């Protein structure tokens, strides 16, 4: 059966890739919407980026990517981009939340091509900023977490991220006490708080973090493959 290249999605993606070819020594990603579907291309590798590999690390949006806001689709794209660019699972898993918040949430399709671009230099700059902020507790360590949770870097606070759904535990310090919040993001513009703990600043916050992590796992049972 013949395929109409003006309506076939694969043909449109291939045409877009040809229009935005870049030097093969310069890594570049481009994102666009094809018939409303978010599509991300690795121009250097001449490949379409898919969530498949990143889903082995985190499962925020098995249905696909998105960008331009803070939510599940952008979280999956952030993890997939870092994994594809660095080929390092630990880097992708540790930094994708901050990368989503600082980079992916700001992407806008614009210009004559109605798309966004990210270069290797853009990603390197963002990773350098992520790696400058890695303290997770006052002593620089982190609490013991279940297998479906991991610690991630943030510039202004410590964040513990659930891998199978969009739950977070955020650890922030005020002038006199710790504020530890369990919240859910999903596709909301802002996280929804589920529970919280406050502690004197001289106390170790790790037990309270562990309590809220356990509460999240009780609310929604972890997937078996995590």
């Amino acid at each position: 059966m013949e395929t109409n290249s003006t309506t076939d999605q694969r043909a449109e993606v291939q045409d877009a890739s040809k229009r935005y070819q870049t030097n093969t020594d310069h890594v570049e990603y481009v994102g666009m919407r094809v018939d409303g579907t978010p599509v991300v291309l690795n121009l250097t590798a001449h490949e379409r980026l898919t969530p498949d590999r990143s889903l082995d690390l985190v499962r925020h949006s098995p249905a696909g990517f998105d960008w331009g806001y803070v939510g599940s689709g952008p979280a999956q794209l952030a993890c997939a981009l870092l994994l594809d660019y660095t080929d390092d699972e630990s880097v992708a898993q540790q930094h994708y939340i901050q990368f989503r918040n600082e980079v992916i949430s700001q992407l806008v399709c614009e210009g004559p091509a109605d798309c966004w671009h990210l270069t290797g230099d853009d990603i390197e700059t963002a990773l350098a900023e992520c790696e400058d902020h890695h303290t997770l507790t006052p002593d620089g360590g982190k609490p013991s977490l279940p297998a479906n949770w991991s610690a991630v870097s943030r510039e202004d606070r410590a964040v513990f991220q659930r891998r199978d759904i969009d739950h977070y535990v955020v650890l922030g310090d005020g002038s006199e006490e710790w504020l530890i919040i369990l919240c859910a993001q999903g596709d909301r513009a802002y996280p929804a708080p589920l529970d919280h703990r406050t502690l004197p600043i001289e106390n170790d916050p790790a037990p309270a973090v562990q309590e809220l992590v356990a509460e999240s796992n009780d609310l929604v049972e972890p997937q078996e493959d995590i």
Side-chain angles (χ1 to χ4, degrees):
M1 181 178 66
E2 292 186 358
T3 305
N4 187 337
S5 62
T6 63
T7 58
D8 182 68
Q9 179 172 316
R10 288 174 298 177
E12 291 185 45
V13 171
Q14 290 168 356
D15 290 343
S17 179
K18 291 176 182 177
R19 289 197 302 268
Y20 300 106
Q21 290 303 321
T22 187
N23 189 314
T24 55
D25 294 329
H26 186 65
V27 176
E28 185 173 5
Y29 297 90
V30 62
M32 68 202 79
R33 298 186 187 277
V34 178
D35 293 334
T37 300
V39 173
V40 179
L41 306 175
N42 180 331
L43 294 188
T44 307
H46 310 292
E47 293 178 349
R48 179 171 175 173
L49 188 67
T50 72
D52 297 349
R53 187 181 175 198
S54 65
L55 289 171
D56 291 335
L57 296 183
V58 296
R59 296 186 66 83
H60 293 300
S61 181
F65 300 136
D66 213 338
W67 52 78
Y69 65 99
V70 175
S72 298
Q76 200 70 53
L77 174 57
C79 185
L81 271 172
L82 290 182
L83 187 58
D84 187 72
Y85 178 74
T86 67
D87 197 28
D88 188 320
E89 293 184 356
S90 63
V91 169
Q93 189 167 336
Q94 184 178 7
H95 297 305
Y96 79 95
I97 289 298
Q98 187 172 343
F99 188 70
R100 176 196 67 176
N101 294 347
E102 302 297 329
V103 178
I104 303 302
S105 67
Q106 305 303 309
L107 294 176
V108 178
C109 291
E110 57 187 2
D114 196 23
C115 64
W116 55 257
H117 292 260
L118 272 181
T119 67
D121 289 342
D122 296 330
I123 297 171
E124 290 287 354
T125 298
L127 281 175
E129 293 177 358
C130 290
E131 291 168 355
D132 282 342
H133 307 281
H134 53 77
T135 301
L136 295 172
T137 62
D139 62 359
K142 61 183 180 181
S144 176
L145 300 170
N148 64 317
W149 285 78
S150 59
V152 298
S153 296
R154 282 288 303 272
E155 179 176 354
D156 52 348
R157 61 184 63 88
V159 176
F160 305 92
Q161 167 68 48
R162 184 164 171 173
R163 294 172 55 198
D164 47 338
I165 60 173
D166 233 342
H167 280 192
Y168 308 82
V169 173
V170 180
L171 171 61
D173 62 293
S175 58
E176 298 181 353
E177 64 183 10
W178 292 108
L179 175 61
I180 306 106
I181 305 173
L182 170 64
C183 52
Q185 180 77 53
D187 286 330
R188 303 177 183 87
Y190 299 98
L194 301 177
D195 199 357
H196 74 280
R197 303 281 190 276
T198 57
L199 296 170
I201 199 67
E202 64 269 16
N203 286 24
D204 180 3
V209 171
Q210 292 167 331
E211 287 179 10
L212 293 177
V213 164
E215 182 176 329
S216 169
N217 282 359
D218 288 340
L219 286 171
V220 181
E221 187 174 347
Q223 298 179 11
E224 293 182 0
D225 59 348
I226 295 296

